[in-house]
Amino acid sequence: MAELWRASEHEPLAGAEWDETRAEAAIAAIVADAEAAFDGERWPWHPRDGEQDEDPSDVYFGGAGVIWALQELGSTGWEDAAVKFVDRQRAQPVLDEWTVATSYSFGELGIDLVAYLLTHDAGLADRVHELVLTHPAAETNELMAGTPGAMLVAEAMLAWTGEPRWDDAWRECAARVEAARDADGLWTQHLPKEEARYLGPAHGYAGNMRVLANRGRAPESANLEPYVLREDGLANWVSRVGARPGEIRVQWCHGAPGMVATLGDLLDLELAVAGGELTWHAGPLTKGPGLCHGTGGNAYAFLVLHRRTGDELWLDRARAFAMHAIGQVERERASLGRGRYSLFTGDVGVALYLRHLLDGHDRFPTLGPFGAGPSSL
């Protein structure tokens, strides 16, 4: 019998009935807490994001990501703070391949993008263009630090400005990504401490395919069957090629939730549904309510399946996970006395999920497709 998930990483669903008023109140509370916690320079570091108290500026953990979320949630007045995060990032030393300027999630590129969105500064736009066209010194072939992330930035800038140079930049990067594809349709990720071939959206195949598909350029899908675990109508994907037995996750970053949320419109319907069923049966994550490896991020798979199938069952499940995530946010805030301030691991990501659920959207934050204004980040 294949191990499709580890029970120790999940917790029973709280079972609270869907309450739209409570969801709206949770969004308002998260936004108010984040606004109040900013001291003019930074947000407090959360111990669950690492042992060392850090001061990141990036989109994934740092201030730019919080501002991105707050902007979409209707909070205003963050222009000066966004520019400060740009200045701070440029003054910091490059630590590794993740934090290089061309990194969308961890480096200057994503921070500059957020600052441009708020300021519409022409100099920032030119700097973003320069970084998009800069070849990473060590190509990771994934969206968080590699060229696929640069494609998302070019896509956003094209949507926001309409300037042809962003279409040209996107196409140049797309050619680079397509040329790096392995013969079997996957990509090899050259990461700081390993060389691997990941499948999920954060570092691998699914993310790259989504970036290409956003603008109708998705190549033929790879044969993922060797990497799918199936049992009794459930399906999960291993995190990477060559994964050891038991090396399994049920998260947005690795596993069924991310594969379905990212490629739900491209996967065989039966397989996509089986991945959604696995996500539901495994239950909410003990790691917390956030996007990357939390309950809110997993629930995007249900939103995608609701759109694709029209079956209200998936909307009910998305709402059930939403109520559980609200409870997780409230428990963690009560325990520490404040919120968790990051887009991918913190409370503002949960607020975005709740907003998307209420408004009928299923687009995972930062992955596009991007609309013409701040309400379509």
Side-chain angles (χ1 to χ4, degrees):
M1 178 182 296
E3 181 182 48
L4 271 64
W5 76 89
R6 286 196 287 270
S8 61
E9 296 178 353
H10 300 267
E11 61 189 38
L13 192 66
E17 292 188 8
W18 170 243
D19 185 337
E20 184 172 325
T21 300
R22 188 180 176 197
E24 291 282 8
I27 294 171
I30 290 169
V31 170
D33 179 59
E35 291 173 337
F38 186 65
D39 66 5
E41 297 291 333
R42 59 170 290 178
W43 275 277
W45 182 251
H46 197 281
R48 292 192 68 174
D49 285 327
E51 296 181 0
Q52 185 176 356
D53 186 8
E54 299 182 17
D55 185 15
S57 303
D58 61 60
V59 166
Y60 185 95
F61 275 126
V66 178
I67 291 174
W68 183 317
L70 290 174
Q71 173 81 0
E72 184 171 349
L73 292 166
S75 181
T76 59
W78 296 102
E79 292 81 1
D80 290 345
V83 172
K84 283 184 179 179
F85 285 124
V86 170
D87 294 339
R88 182 180 303 168
Q89 181 68 20
R90 291 178 181 176
Q92 290 179 350
V94 173
L95 301 177
D96 53 37
E97 289 90 338
W98 293 109
T99 60
V100 293
T102 53
S103 171
Y104 177 39
S105 297
F106 304 108
E108 183 191 336
L109 181 56
I111 303 168
D112 288 356
L113 180 70
V114 175
Y116 172 79
L117 174 64
L118 272 66
T119 66
H120 303 291
D121 181 84
L124 273 171
D126 290 343
R127 174 60 173 167
V128 170
H129 190 259
E130 175 189 349
L131 293 178
V132 165
L133 293 179
T134 299
H135 290 237
E139 180 57 88
T140 61
N141 290 318
E142 48 86 73
L143 66 83
M144 286 197 161
T147 298
M151 292 170 63
L152 287 171
V153 172
E155 179 189 338
M157 292 296 291
L158 178 62
W160 298 342
T161 70
E163 296 177 2
R165 63 172 172 165
W166 298 108
D167 181 60
D168 294 339
W170 189 93
R171 293 177 184 278
E172 180 175 329
C173 290
R176 194 189 313 164
V177 170
E178 290 169 339
R181 200 177 186 199
D182 297 336
D184 62 358
L186 302 180
W187 280 268
T188 299
Q189 286 76 47
H190 305 280
L191 305 175
K193 295 183 180 179
E194 65 174 337
E195 184 174 283
R197 299 206 297 160
Y198 282 99
L199 299 178
H203 302 303
Y205 170 84
N208 293 0
M209 291 290 284
R210 180 73 268 153
V211 170
L212 291 163
N214 277 358
R215 300 196 66 211
R217 194 161 164 173
E220 182 179 348
S221 297
N223 176 22
L224 300 182
E225 195 60 34
Y227 316 115
V228 180
L229 305 175
R230 300 174 185 265
E231 186 174 324
D232 298 332
L234 309 179
N236 200 2
W237 286 257
V238 297
S239 61
R240 60 185 175 86
V241 176
R244 297 184 298 273
E247 189 179 327
I248 196 75
R249 294 288 187 274
V250 185
Q251 302 173 173
W252 172 79
C253 50
H254 301 295
M259 297 297 289
V260 176
T262 309
L263 299 181
D265 56 338
L266 302 176
L267 293 171
D268 172 79
L269 179 57
E270 182 181 357
L271 180 58
V273 167
E277 290 288 355
L278 182 281
T279 303
W280 173 252
H281 283 277
L285 283 158
T286 60
K287 293 181 179 179
L291 295 180
C292 187
H293 36 262
T295 302
N298 281 17
Y300 274 95
F302 304 146
L303 295 182
V304 169
L305 287 170
H306 176 245
R307 171 174 56 82
R308 184 169 179 187
T309 67
D311 190 338
E312 293 293 308
L313 170 69
W314 297 111
L315 181 59
D316 291 339
R317 290 176 171 182
R319 289 170 170 172
F321 267 44
M323 297 303 291
H324 192 96
I326 290 171
Q328 288 179 305
V329 168
E330 292 172 348
R331 288 196 304 273
E332 289 196 12
R333 187 189 301 139
S335 175
L336 191 63
R338 58 174 171 80
R340 187 174 182 178
Y341 311 109
S342 76
L343 174 54
F344 273 80
T345 65
D347 301 348
V348 291
V350 179
L352 279 184
Y353 169 67
L354 296 173
R355 183 79 274 147
H356 292 166
L357 170 62
L358 290 164
D359 291 349
H361 298 305
D362 61 9
R363 53 184 176 80
F364 192 89
T366 76
L367 262 65
F370 300 92
S375 63
S376 299
L377 288 168

